[in-house]
Amino acid sequence: MKIAEILKKEKLSLSFEVFPPKTQTNFESVKNATQEIAKLSPLFMSVTYGAGGGTSKYTLDIAKNIKEQYGVPTLAHLTCVSSSKETVKERIEAIHNAGVTNIMALRGDIPKELEDADRSHWDYKYAIELIEDIKASGYDFCIGGACYPEIHPESANQKDDIKRLKEKVDAGCDFLTTQMFFDNNLLYSFLYKIREAGITVPVLPGIMPITNANQVARSIKLSGSFMPQRFKSLVDKFGSDPEAMKQAGIAYATDQIIDLYANGITNVHIYSMNKPDVAEKIQANLSDILGK
Ligand code: FAD
C-alpha cells in the first residue's frame, strides 16, 4: 500500500524506522525486534539502507517480512552515492519484485574514504538522479525523500537547500521525512518556508527518542541538530542513570509528538532504532490520543 495514499486518511498516527542487521549472525534478533514493533500496527515501517554497502543487503528481507507477516506497509530505503546505475537498477527491480511499493530515495552520506575523491565520473551525485531513475523504471512506486529543518550540513544556506529540495520534490517525491530535531519551533519555521517555496507534499517529522546519554553525542554529530536547554538539562540530570534517562527521553519525545499533533501534524515518524520497548512506551503514552 502506498504511503501517500494512507496519509490522505489524516488520522493521527505513528510510523517507525528500523535498521537491518549488519551480519547474518544477528539477522534473527533484528527480525524479532522489528516484528515486535510491527505488532504495534503503525501506519508504516521504514527500513534503512547502508550507504556504502554495509547492511544494505538485508533491507529488503526485513521490509518484506514485516509486510508479509504483519500486513504493515513498508518503505524500503535506497541510497545511490558511489553505486553504479546497474546496481541501482537491480535494486529497484528487487524492491518491485518483493512487492514493496514505497521507496525512500536517498543520496546517502559520502563514505569517509571518498570525501576528497573526484566525483565528476560518479553515476550519482544527488538523490534527485535516483528519483529520476526510479520514475524512469516504469514501476509505480510511491517515493519519499529526506529534508532537513536545520539545513543539510553540506548546504551553504537554507535558501539553497530549499531550492534543491523543491527540485527534488518536483522530480517525483510524494512525501518527505525530516531529519531528527529536538525543538519543534525549528520544524514549524521550516514548514512555513517550504510551503512558501511551493513544496506542497506531506512532510513527516522525524523524532529520535534519546534513551541513553551516549546516544546524545552520536546523534548530534550525525544530524547536527540543535539541543534546546531543556533537553540538555535533562541529559545532565539523568544521563548517568540508564533507566531514568530512558524514561526522561521517552517523555521528551512524547511531548514533542503531542505538540506536533496539536499543531496540525497527523503522522510522526519515530526513529525507533530496533527498540520495541521504546516504541511500545511511546505508543502507550499516546494511547487515548491515537485511540489504541
Ligand atoms: P540530497 O537530496 O542529494 O542532498 C544532499 C545535499 O546536496 C544537500 O545539501 C542538497 O541541498 C544538495 N543538493 C541536492 N541536489 C543538488 C544539486 N543538483 N546540485 C547541488 N547541490 C545539490 N543514509 C543512509 O545511508 N541510509 C539510509 O537509510 C538513510 N535514511 C535517511 C532517512 C532520513 C529521513 C534522512 C533525513 C536521512 C537519511 N539518511 C540515510 C542520511 C542521508 O543519506 C544523508 O543525510 C545524505 O547526506 C543526504 O541524502 P539526501 O537524500 O538528503 O541528499
Side-chain angles (χ1 to χ4, degrees):
M1 194 158 185
K2 289 189 179 169
I3 288 165
E5 289 303 315
I6 325 173
L7 287 171
K8 283 185 187 153
K9 289 185 189 151
E10 295 202 343
K11 191 177 173 305
L12 297 187
S13 54
L14 295 174
S15 50
F16 294 113
E17 182 159 304
V18 295
F19 54 83
K22 283 203 165 53
T23 61
Q24 184 64 42
T25 323
N26 60 352
F27 185 86
E28 280 306 310
S29 67
V30 169
K31 191 172 94 179
N32 291 340
T34 61
Q35 288 184 343
E36 287 306 307
I37 296 176
K39 286 181 192 163
L40 298 171
S41 304
L43 192 75
F44 71 90
M45 283 172 70
S46 66
V47 189
T48 64
Y49 187 89
T55 60
S56 51
K57 76 180 204 194
Y58 299 113
T59 298
L60 209 45
D61 296 338
I62 296 289
K64 199 168 173 237
N65 178 267
I66 295 165
K67 189 176 81 69
E68 288 176 356
Q69 299 293 316
Y70 294 90
V72 174
T74 49
L75 168 65
H77 288 207
L78 180 62
T79 65
C80 57
V81 73
S82 69
S83 286
S84 67
K85 288 264 179 190
E86 208 183 338
T87 307
V88 166
K89 188 166 182 257
E90 282 167 16
R91 295 302 308 173
I92 294 171
E93 248 168 60
I95 296 172
H96 170 75
N97 292 339
V100 174
T101 49
N102 304 289
I103 302 187
M104 184 74 179
L106 299 144
R107 184 195 69 179
D109 283 321
I110 312 285
K112 266 251 157 310
E113 66 279 13
L114 296 177
E115 266 171 7
D116 299 322
D118 169 17
R119 298 179 202 170
S120 57
H121 62 284
W122 287 12
D123 281 357
Y124 295 96
K125 293 184 199 66
Y126 302 107
I128 188 171
E129 295 149 344
L130 173 60
I131 292 164
E132 286 163 356
D133 283 356
I134 297 171
K135 284 281 178 199
S137 72
Y139 299 126
D140 186 20
F141 287 111
C142 170
I143 303 174
C147 64
Y148 303 83
E150 297 174 70
I151 87 170
H152 186 272
E154 289 166 35
S155 289
N157 54 59
Q158 194 167 44
K159 206 169 164 206
D160 272 9
D161 207 30
I162 292 178
K163 181 171 171 276
R164 296 302 181 187
L165 184 64
K166 170 88 167 76
E167 291 165 5
K168 184 160 85 170
V169 171
D170 289 347
C173 275
D174 298 296
F175 68 94
L176 296 167
T177 306
T178 76
Q179 179 60 283
M180 68 183 85
F181 57 90
F182 299 96
D183 178 348
N184 287 3
N185 288 326
L186 294 167
L187 177 87
Y188 301 138
S189 154
F190 173 71
L191 284 178
Y192 177 79
K193 289 176 188 158
I194 65 168
R195 299 307 185 209
E196 282 263 284
I199 298 173
T200 57
V201 293
V203 176
L204 310 185
I207 295 294
M208 169 75 90
I210 299 282
T211 53
N212 69 69
N214 297 336
Q215 209 188 333
V216 178
R218 237 186 2 255
S219 300
I220 302 308
K221 188 164 173 246
L222 209 74
S223 65
S225 305
F226 165 70
M227 276 277 147
Q229 188 53 46
R230 189 164 93 76
F231 191 82
K232 281 191 202 150
S233 309
L234 184 151
V235 178
D236 284 349
K237 177 77 182 169
F238 303 115
S240 56
D241 178 341
E243 286 312 309
M245 183 61 225
K246 193 177 202 175
Q247 192 167 46
I250 288 171
Y252 190 92
T254 305
D255 259 14
Q256 272 194 283
I257 299 166
I258 293 173
D259 181 68
L260 290 167
Y261 288 154
N263 282 283
I265 302 290
T266 53
N267 186 72
V268 179
H269 194 59
I270 313 283
Y271 294 115
S272 50
M273 309 285 289
N274 297 1
K275 292 178 185 158
D277 59 331
V278 173
E280 274 161 26
K281 282 186 177 135
I282 290 179
Q283 184 153 304
N285 285 346
L286 299 165
S287 57
D288 288 335
I289 290 172
L290 296 172
K292 284 195 174 191

